[in-house]
């Protein structure tokens, strides 16, 4: 693998597949038509998590089994290469185990990175309907104290060697138009004759003796938005752990293309309560490292200001771009209405939205009644003010997105001829793995053809539509449009948006979250005199809640009051030179969970000695609060350099628990600091 990947290895010999690095190793026996687990080894701590048991195949689908044959190894071959997913992911070792029998073919695709104790994989299936066989399994494994029912549709499975342990399952939820808690967890303990079946993205098992943990990860849409799935994502007892619900079905192979399962991963941790989330986020960072421009990026979108498609015109957008350039906003998204087709006829929030091609065969022609000079002139106007142009876009979902290449050509044309460098993708509703695969192919090709110059923002708000969520979508997506919140209907509160980012930050790198801030002076009557009314916090505070994510001005910029615009301009001028380093660091939530009455915030660690702190005092009567800072030892001195906000501190002395005493004189205030450890 060369010097860069000298710690990663993959080998197939004597019917044994071995994949790992210096921290973690997995072993499987090749048993005719599939793999059975032989080892899940934490090399750093010397802890083995797998125990020889029923020798059931790790991957099993009742409809997609290689047929029986004389070849005991299923015609196996192992192919390895260095991969970076066309520049979207960090370089890593990719190992493909190829199994063939007759007209049926399965490819186990493994990925492993240096210094990351996890192995990621998925299975590709290819072959005509009559090429597949069946396999019989016991309905109940009950031998030598091991008692469980094997799951029919599973992606990984092995018997556990550490039965004395607790577990926690965490789900990252979508359809944010309909919910305001985006992270949910449940927990329990392992017991031999009790199988817990839970939906989620991360299962973290923590041994009761010794510092050891096991993480199982499923990279799929939220459970309610998955396709061809089982009744759960994880099934576990003291006897066995299985990752369930492959997402594939036999009939989808009829299209003649390889069908990929959902991706899963298994890794190890030190057993601390937050270590599973840290490993999950580390994997997300390897798959999609930060791509924040050195000069920073702040977005704006007109939809949050009201008026829908009716407000759009060339004069309106040019006024918005003029305001954007003055404020320091670097990317302006023109939402629905710039095109000839009527976006209202798509019904993008429905389970089955209309297809753009059925609404109009000229849907993506520029509406010249609104933009008589075309978008290329608008782009020139934007560039002259230091602003890049983005557009709302909805892919044609006809016949499982069979026209994806046509959409790709349209988007590339808009990039080349109108300098559009970002597309906000709305209206996805994916009813098959074929649809998911085609959409992912479009994103990958757009990234490759533009050499990463065109960014995709994926709308995960969803309504009833089946979308991809925040941890399944292609690595070629730049970020996620997280939520629709408005002042006119009372759905926006600064502390609630802050809470969503605070909760997600443990799992999702915050540079992948596009988060809204609003002109809080509008629609004051909606909130009355409530102490948590947005107007009582102010627009600068609203903007501050997004500074450790990707800020999105969800408003009409040209209508900001003069004094508000001046405060926003000052804040962005102070913040933007630091944004790249903030988002490139390890961002962790700190303090109390935002509630409207908390001391809360974020810490971004650039390295072991410096980083950034963002601290909020919500509505409470505590002028100071001790907050633990991640990765910092007790007794250490910290020098603070104020960047922006209400804080005036210059020094912190951490107590024996690594907590610093933060001070803000008034409620509804914040402070952004750069810190250096003494």
């Amino acid at each position: 693998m060369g010097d860069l990947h000298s710690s990663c290895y993959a080998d197939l010999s004597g019917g044994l597949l071995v994949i790992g690095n210096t921290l973690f190793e997995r072993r499987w026996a090749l048993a005719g038509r599939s793999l059975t687990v032989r080892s899940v080894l934490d090399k750093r701590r010397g802890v083995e998590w797998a125990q020889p048991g029923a020798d059931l195949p790790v991957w099993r689908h009742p409809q997609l089994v290689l047929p029986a044959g004389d070849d005991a190894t299923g015609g196996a071959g192992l192919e390895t290469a260095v991969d970076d997913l066309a520049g979207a992911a960090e370089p890593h070792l990719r190992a493909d185990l190829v199994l063939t029998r007759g007209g049926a073919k399965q490819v186990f695709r493994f990925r492993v990175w240096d210094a990351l104790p996890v192995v990621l994989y998925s299975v590709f299936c290819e072959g005509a309907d009559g090429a597949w066989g069946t396999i019989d399994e016991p309905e109940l494994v009950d031998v030598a104290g091991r008692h469980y029912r094997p799951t029919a549709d599973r992606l990984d499975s092995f018997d556990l060697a550490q039965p004395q342990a607790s577990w926690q399952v965490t789900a990252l939820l979508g359809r944010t138009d309909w919910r305001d808690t985006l992270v949910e967890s449940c927990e329990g303990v392992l017991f031999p004759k009790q199988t817990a079946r839970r939906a989620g993205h991360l299962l973290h098992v923590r041994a009761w003796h010794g510092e050891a943990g096991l993480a199982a990860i499923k990279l799929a849409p939220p459970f309610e938005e998955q396709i061809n799935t089982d009744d759960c994502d994880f099934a576990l007892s003291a006897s066995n752990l299985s990752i369930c619900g492959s997402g594939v079905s036999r009939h989808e192979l009829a299209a003649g293309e390889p069908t990929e399962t959902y991706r899963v991963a298994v890794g190890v941790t030190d057993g601390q309560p937050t270590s599973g989330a840290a490993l999950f986020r580390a994997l997300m960072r390897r798959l999609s490292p930060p791509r924040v421009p050195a000069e920073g990026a702040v977005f704006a979108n007109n939809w949050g200001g009201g008026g829908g498609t009716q407000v759009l015109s060339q004069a309106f957008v040019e006024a918005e771009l003029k305001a954007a350039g003055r404020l320091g906003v670097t990317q302006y998204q023109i939402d629905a209405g710039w095109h000839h087709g009527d976006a209202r006829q798509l019904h993008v929030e429905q389970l089955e939205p209309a297809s753009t091609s059925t609404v109009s065969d000229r849907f993506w022609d520029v509406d010249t009644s609104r933009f008589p000079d075309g978008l290329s002139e608008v782009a020139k106007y934007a560039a002259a003010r230091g602003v890049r142009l983005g557009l709302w876009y909805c892919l044609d979902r006809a016949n499982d997105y069979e026209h994806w290449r046509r959409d790709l050509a349209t988007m590339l044309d808009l990039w080349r001829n109108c300098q559009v460098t970002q597309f906000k993708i709305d209206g996805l509703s994916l009813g098959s793995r074929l649809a998911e695969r085609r959409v992912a192919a479009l994103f990958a090709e757009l990234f490759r053809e533009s050499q990463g110059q065109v960014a995709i923002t994926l709308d995960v708000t969803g309504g009833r539509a089946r979308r991809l969520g925040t941890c399944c979508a292609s690595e070629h997506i730049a970020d996620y449009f997280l939520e629709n919140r408005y002042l006119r209907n009372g759905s926006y509160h600064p502390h609630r948006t802050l809470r969503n980012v605070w909760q997600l930050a443990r799992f999702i790198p915050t540079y992948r979250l596009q988060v809204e801030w609003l002109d809080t002076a509008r629609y004051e009557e909606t909130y009355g005199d409530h102490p948590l009314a947005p107007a009582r916090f102010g627009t600068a505070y609203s903007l501050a809640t997004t500074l450790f994510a990707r800020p999105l001005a969800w408003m009409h910029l040209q209508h900001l009051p003069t004094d508000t615009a001046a405060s926003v301009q000052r804040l962005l001028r102070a913040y933007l030179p630091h944004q790249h380093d903030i988002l490139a660091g390890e961002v962790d939530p700190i303090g109390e969970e935002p509630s409207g009455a908390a001391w809360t915030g974020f810490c971004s660690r650039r390295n072991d000695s410096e980083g950034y702190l963002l601290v909020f005092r919500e509505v409470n009567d505590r002028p100071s609060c001790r907050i633990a800072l991640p990765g910092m030892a007790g007794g250490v001195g910290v020098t603070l350099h104020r960047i922006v906000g209400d804080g005036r501190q210059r020094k912190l002395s951490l107590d024996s628990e690594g907590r610093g005493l933060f001070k803000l004189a008034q409620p509804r205030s914040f402070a952004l600091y750069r810190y250096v450890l003494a």
Side-chain angles (χ1 to χ4, degrees), residues 458-472:
L458 183 64
D459 186 317
V460 297
T461 59
R464 292 197 298 143
R466 182 181 285 119
R467 301 190 180 178
L468 290 169
T470 53
C471 63
C472 170

Side-chain angles (χ1 to χ4, degrees), residues 110-131:
F110 300 91
R111 301 184 188 274
V112 58
W113 286 260
D114 285 322
L116 186 69
V118 67
V119 174
L120 173 74
Y121 80 90
S122 60
V123 183
F124 292 80
C125 299
E126 185 176 3
D129 186 66

